[in-house]
C-alpha cells in the first residue's frame, strides 16, 4: 500500500514552519506578553493606588485622627465623672468608636509609608477651607478654655457642657467626613468617612434628647 502523501507528518517545504509549531510560538508569545504586562501592572498599580503625602486621603486621615483624639478625651471625662447613666453609656460608645477609627487611620498611613503627621496646615486637603481653622482648631473642636472648664465641671453642669461640646464636635467632624468622601477616590477612606457620618448623625439625635433633659433638670 502506498504511503499518504497528505500526512500531517510530511516534511514541510523548505523554510516553512509547520502549523502546529506556529500555534506553539503564538501561544508562547502571548504568555510572555502576559507576563510582561502583569509585571508592569504590578509595578504601576500599587503606586497609582497608594495616596501621596499631599493627597486628600492622607490629609483627611491625619486631621481626623487629631479631631477624634479630642472627642475621645472629652468622652472619657464624661464617662468618668457623669452620674447620668445614658451619658455614661453614650460617652463610652463615642470613645470606643472613635479610638477604633483612629486605629484604622493610623494603620493606613503606616501601610502607605506616610508619617502620621504632615507638614501642611490643618484642612489644607480641603478646597475653600479658608476660615475653617480658627486658632489652629478644626471645625467643631473645643478650645483649651472649654476643655479646662469641662474637667472641673460636675453634676448637671458637666452633662450640659459635655453634650454641648460633643454636639458641636460631631457637626464639625461630619462636615469634614462628607468633604473627604466627595473628594477621595479611595474606597477604604470613603467607607470610613461614610461610617463616621452615619454614626455621628445618629448620635446627634440622642445628644439633643439628652441635652433637653439635662437643661430641664
Amino acid at each position: 500500500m502506498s504511503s499518504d502523501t497528505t500526512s500531517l507528518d510530511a516534511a514541510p517545504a523548505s523554510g516553512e514552519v509547520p502549523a502546529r509549531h506556529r500555534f506553539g510560538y503564538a501561544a508562547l508569545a502571548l504568555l510572555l506578553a502576559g507576563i510582561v504586562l502583569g509585571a508592569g501592572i504590578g509595578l504601576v498599580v500599587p503606586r497609582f493606588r497608594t495616596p501621596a503625602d499631599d493627597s486628600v486621603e492622607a490629609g483627611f486621615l491625619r486631621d481626623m485622627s487629631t479631631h477624634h483624639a479630642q472627642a475621645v478625651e472629652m468622652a472619657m471625662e464624661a464617662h468618668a465623672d457623669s452620674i447620668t447613666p445614658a451619658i455614661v453609656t453614650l460617652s463610652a460608645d463615642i470613645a470606643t468608636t472613635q479610638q477604633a477609627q483612629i486605629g484604622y487611620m493610623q494603620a493606613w498611613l503606616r501601610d502607605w509609608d506616610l508619617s502620621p503627621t504632615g507638614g501642611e496646615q490643618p484642612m489644607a486637603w480641603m478646597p475653600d477651607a479658608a476660615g475653617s481653622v480658627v486658632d489652629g482648631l478644626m471645625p467643631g473642636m473645643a478650645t483649651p478654655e472649654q476643655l479646662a472648664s469641662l474637667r472641673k465641671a460636675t453634676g448637671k453642669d458637666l452633662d450640659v457642657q459635655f453634650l454641648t461640646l460633643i454636639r458641636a464636635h460631631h457637626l464639625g467632624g461630619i462636615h469634614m467626613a462628607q468633604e473627604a468622601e466627595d473628594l477621595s477616590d479611595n474606597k477604604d477612606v470613603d467607607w470610613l468617612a461614610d461610617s463616621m457620618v452615619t454614626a455621628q448623625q445618629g448620635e446627634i439625635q440622642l445628644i439633643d434628647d439628652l441635652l433637653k433633659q439635662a437643661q430641664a433638670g
Side-chain angles (χ1 to χ4, degrees):
M1 180 180 295
S2 61
S3 61
D4 185 357
T5 57
T6 62
S7 169
L8 291 177
D9 291 329
S14 177
E16 182 181 350
V17 178
R20 63 181 182 278
H21 288 178
R22 289 199 300 271
F23 175 80
Y25 296 153
L28 178 60
L30 288 173
L31 176 61
L32 291 174
I35 292 172
V36 172
L37 180 60
I41 292 174
L43 291 173
V44 173
V45 170
R47 294 180 183 177
F48 177 76
R49 290 180 177 173
T50 299
D53 191 60
D54 61 349
S55 64
V56 167
E57 291 82 6
F60 170 67
L61 296 188
R62 288 164 175 157
D63 284 352
M64 191 57 84
S65 291
T66 300
H67 202 272
H68 269 23
Q70 190 186 75
V72 172
E73 178 185 354
M74 292 192 295
M76 293 305 295
E77 289 288 339
H79 185 264
D81 297 332
S82 177
I83 58 173
T84 304
I87 293 178
V88 172
T89 299
L90 171 65
S91 59
D93 289 344
I94 291 172
T96 301
T97 299
Q98 298 206 14
Q99 188 61 51
Q101 291 173 345
I102 290 174
Y104 276 115
M105 294 187 284
Q106 294 298 299
W108 288 341
L109 288 169
R110 288 194 301 271
D111 288 346
W112 300 340
D113 292 325
L114 300 179
S115 170
T117 58
E120 296 184 330
Q121 294 297 314
M123 310 297 290
W125 56 273
M126 185 189 297
D128 303 320
S132 297
V133 179
V134 180
D135 295 328
L137 299 174
M138 289 174 280
M141 291 186 72
T143 66
E145 293 76 19
Q146 289 173 322
L147 291 175
S149 178
L150 179 65
R151 295 185 191 107
K152 296 176 183 177
T154 58
K156 172 184 174 180
D157 189 35
L158 168 66
D159 289 350
V160 170
Q161 285 193 48
F162 168 68
L163 294 170
T164 301
L165 291 175
I166 203 66
R167 186 184 194 281
H169 204 276
H170 274 16
L171 288 174
I174 289 170
H175 174 64
M176 291 170 61
Q178 288 173 331
E179 286 290 319
E181 191 173 4
D182 288 341
L183 297 171
S184 172
D185 58 4
N186 182 288
K187 61 183 179 68
D188 292 326
V189 173
D190 288 345
W191 163 77
L192 184 61
D194 183 66
S195 298
M196 292 174 182
V197 171
T198 301
Q200 294 185 33
Q201 284 177 337
E203 286 172 348
I204 285 176
Q205 297 179 14
L206 176 57
I207 290 167
D208 286 343
D209 292 340
L210 293 173
L211 193 53
K212 290 177 183 178
Q213 297 173 24
Q215 291 171 332

